[in-house]
Amino acid sequence: MNAFNANGFSHPGLNARQPGGNDGSSDARPMAVIIGSGFGGLAAAIRLSVKGYQVKVLEKLDAPGGRAYVHRQDGFTFDAGPTIITAPFLLEELWTLCGKKFADDVTLVPMDPFYRIRFDDGTWFDYSADEAKMLDEVARFCPEDVQGYLDFVKDAERCKTLGFEGLGSIAFDTLGDLIKAIPSFLKMGAWRSIYALVAKHFSNDKLRTVMSFHPLLIGGNPFSVTAAYALINSLERTWGVHSAMGGTGAIVKAMVGLLDSRGIQLRLNAPVTQIRIENGKACGVELASGEFIAADIVVSNADTAWTYKNLVAPQHRRHWTNRKIENGCYSMGLFVWYFGTSKQYHDVPHHMMVLGPRYKGLLTDIFKRHHLAKDFSLYLHRPTATDPSLAPTGCDTFYALSPVPHLDSGTDWVQYAETYRAAIAEALEASVLPGLRESIVTSKITTPQDFHDNLWSYKGAGFGLEPLLLQSAWFRPHNRSEDIPGLYMVGAGTHPGAGVPGVLMSAKALETVVPHVSV
């Protein structure tokens, strides 16, 4: 008997089988308990089920999705987090594993352009996969940089082949895995920052911004993260940028449908407060209610730093000590303002970057100084450009995302959130959304403090550890815990990293290190 919650998601009821067949059932398959139902956790649940595990998914919130939660308010639908779908074949693989077709459950719409990048002076660059259009756009800003763009595309393609296709689903479980990968890192020029790579090919400052901003989509400072992340540019050129009809939440709902079809239990409002370790091995989890759920393996899709620091007792952590966790370099925080308008802005595309007056200086304030500046740059999401059903008739749904410092800034977001939101509204009204403030009919805010309190994200960081070279691959928290047998990681905080393709690939990497099950 399946139960449904208010968000329309189904999950098996209390008659679900207990771990390892200990409830007297004949099912003796090993039990995998997954903490969190973000994209990584849902993908891991599907893959482990196909491999022969019983699976239970435990979600802290009242609906699945994690950072891909869905807010519904006053007739408007807001995707809380991820909105950009690249490499959709990684989703299609999950359906194929279950003998189904992704396209039967989810409709993806290709974006053209992928993004509009609007500069503070009102000029803009439309970014797409069409080479002729891209060459024209580059030439509009700097004809001398056209050849540099073609050369940059070749470098990005090399990074995609070596980094994404070659290394993305490798778990980097041993030092030997790292040693084998060193030639690829050298060929990618991974010791350089992506901005340094871009600057080698482009002389125009605006084009340098256009070609280097992508790491911000996965929590990285373009002036610090490895040039290997040029692969994102190539991923988009190869497989496109897509949005789902119904929003990203429609993909989450469809993934939950796959779980349901395989009899996988998803429990909502079930926060895990401890991973129990017995005889040196993870043996299950404890919920805030005090309930213990036994497991043969535990997979955490929760924030990795939070998992180690708050769910695993210190005596079990020789590698991921509190000191090591605290000394890590973490991604920026996110201030997200969700709002609906009583009018439509037909000139605003689905994805738009509304840049402020500074680039490097602002990123230095955010990532290095942990200082909340008065100026900002925004990612403006208007999903009703593609799917009008996400707002009442004649209205528009938006969110404006501002990268901000994580909680080390000391900002009192309870006190300052409304001031910051008002500044964003004023800036948008003066630039791309005329008459905005008088047309707002619904509004909601999420701050780094909410990431910390509600999503249990360490320091309120939006993407876990920043994807620096020495916090990537083998240096990132491993998919198989370095400290505790039977504990595994998926999601943004482990290898290969943040972004929808990254967290989906973390579930592929997981497959290679969990114990084999004889089916």
Side-chain angles (χ1 to χ4, degrees), residues 36-54:
S37 64
F39 274 114
L42 295 175
I46 293 164
R47 288 183 177 276
L48 291 178
S49 172
V50 171
K51 282 182 70 72
Y53 283 86
Q54 295 184 75

Side-chain angles (χ1 to χ4, degrees), residues 39-41 43-44 47 90 168-171 299-301 479-480 488-513:
F39 274 114
R47 288 183 177 276
L90 291 169
S169 59
I170 294 174
V299 179
S300 180
N301 181 218
N479 302 102
R480 171 162 46 191
Y488 301 85
M489 304 288 163
V490 293
T494 186
H495 175 72
V500 175
V503 298
L504 292 174
M505 289 195 79
S506 74
K508 291 187 72 171
L510 173 73
E511 278 189 319
T512 68
V513 291

